[in-house]
Amino acid sequence: MNLGLSREYACSYLPQKKSRSLMVLDETLLSPRVYEALLAHGYRRSGEYVYRPWCNDCKQCHAVRIPVRGFRPNRSQRRCGRANRDLVVNWRPAKLTEEQYALYLSYQDHRHAGGSMAGSSFAETEAFLLAAWSDVRFLEMRLNHELLAVAVTDFQPRSLSAVYTFFHPEMGKRSLGNYAVLQQIAQARSLGKDWLYLGYWIPDCRKMAYKSVFRPLEVRRPLEEMRDEKWIEQC
């Protein structure tokens, strides 16, 4: 599979840092099975593009996944589950609706104002969330028919992969992002999957701290050890 290296660009997570990505060029070869193999090697998708960080002077992006059979919720996660028992949760086909798009824009305006995705058009949002070669599904969470959250999820033969979650900006006390992960874990278990991939965890990035509290958590070794990379359980 042919790979290409991007130019450097400003890091979205660590100020003053530059990012660079190693990208899969053979998009016509991609499928849920192929993508699962790439996930296991530390890759991730954004829309149709599959990449992994390949930065010159920073090795803080760690691919992480939850082995779902061994997962046991902690006290905070159990409390989150109880707080959201009144929600109706459904898996939907991956087709962006106007209702979902409006929630996405509201989320971006409140959580990432001024960011590159704020004010995205409908077509741009679709291009970011969906991939023609992937089995993508939307997990919807509703309260009295009102859409509160959507968790975009890829389904692979042995795993699920959390792509992106957006939710009602005034429902912060519900911890809907964490609740989405709990629901994705439950779905993976019910389907007999082995892992839920959570993308990248950056220890110095506060926005990603929530990923480290799901245990057990397997972490891919830093990029400077690429030849000897393997998944290790986070202590």
Side-chain angles (χ1 to χ4, degrees):
M1 184 168 283
N2 292 318
L3 304 174
L5 199 58
S6 75
R7 296 180 179 179
E8 283 192 326
Y9 51 91
C11 180
S12 301
Y13 300 102
L14 298 175
Q16 313 304 320
K17 292 287 187 180
K18 293 289 187 180
S19 295
R20 196 168 63 158
S21 298
L22 188 65
M23 306 185 68
V24 173
L25 301 180
D26 299 321
E27 295 172 24
T28 58
L29 301 179
L30 292 171
S31 67
R33 180 184 61 81
V34 172
Y35 183 50
E36 184 161 63
L38 290 166
L39 282 168
H41 283 83
Y43 286 79
R44 182 162 176 77
R45 81 166 177 88
S46 177
E48 299 275 350
Y49 302 102
V50 176
Y51 70 97
R52 64 174 291 171
W54 202 268
C55 306
N56 290 330
D57 60 352
C58 179
K59 311 297 179 185
Q60 291 202 52
C61 287
H62 304 276
V64 290
R65 67 186 185 186
I66 300 168
V68 297
R69 291 189 184 94
F71 172 73
R72 297 294 181 272
N74 61 26
R75 182 180 300 178
S76 175
Q77 290 158 351
R78 292 195 297 271
R79 186 164 58 247
C80 176
R82 291 192 297 269
N84 290 291
R85 282 184 298 188
D86 55 344
L87 300 185
V88 176
V89 176
N90 283 302
W91 289 94
R92 302 292 188 190
K95 183 178 180 180
L96 187 67
T97 66
E98 291 291 348
E99 182 186 30
Q100 294 165 349
Y101 174 58
L103 181 63
Y104 176 86
L105 288 182
S106 178
Y107 174 81
Q108 295 297 337
D109 287 344
H110 286 79
R111 289 298 184 102
H112 306 288
S116 60
M117 293 186 291
S120 297
S121 69
F122 190 94
E124 288 170 334
T125 303
E126 277 190 317
F128 167 58
L129 298 177
L130 305 181
W133 49 262
S134 183
D135 180 6
V136 191
R137 306 180 202 179
F138 289 171
L139 172 63
E140 287 190 342
M141 289 164 264
R142 294 180 180 272
L143 178 64
N144 298 326
H145 304 291
E146 181 184 5
L147 182 64
L148 295 190
V150 177
V152 181
T153 311
D154 287 332
F155 282 61
Q156 291 79 227
R158 296 183 58 192
S159 66
L160 302 187
S161 177
V163 177
Y164 197 76
T165 298
F166 51 98
F167 48 84
H168 196 298
E170 296 179 3
M171 296 290 176
K173 291 184 178 180
R174 283 184 174 267
S175 298
L176 291 171
N178 284 311
Y179 188 62
V181 175
L182 294 173
Q183 290 295 314
Q184 289 167 323
I185 291 171
Q187 180 73 351
R189 271 181 170 171
S190 71
L191 296 174
K193 309 291 187 182
D194 294 322
W195 300 286
L196 170 65
Y197 286 87
L198 292 181
Y200 299 114
W201 168 55
I202 302 175
D204 290 344
C205 179
R206 184 176 58 85
K207 292 179 180 179
M208 292 191 176
Y210 76 94
K211 298 182 182 184
S212 65
V213 300
F214 288 90
R215 300 298 176 93
L217 186 73
E218 295 179 349
V219 181
R220 191 85 175 160
R221 283 186 174 179
L223 294 179
E224 64 262 31
E225 302 172 13
M226 182 178 178
R227 285 178 299 177
D228 301 316
E229 274 189 344
K230 63 180 179 180
W231 292 94
I232 58 174
E233 187 170 323
Q234 176 74 6
C235 298

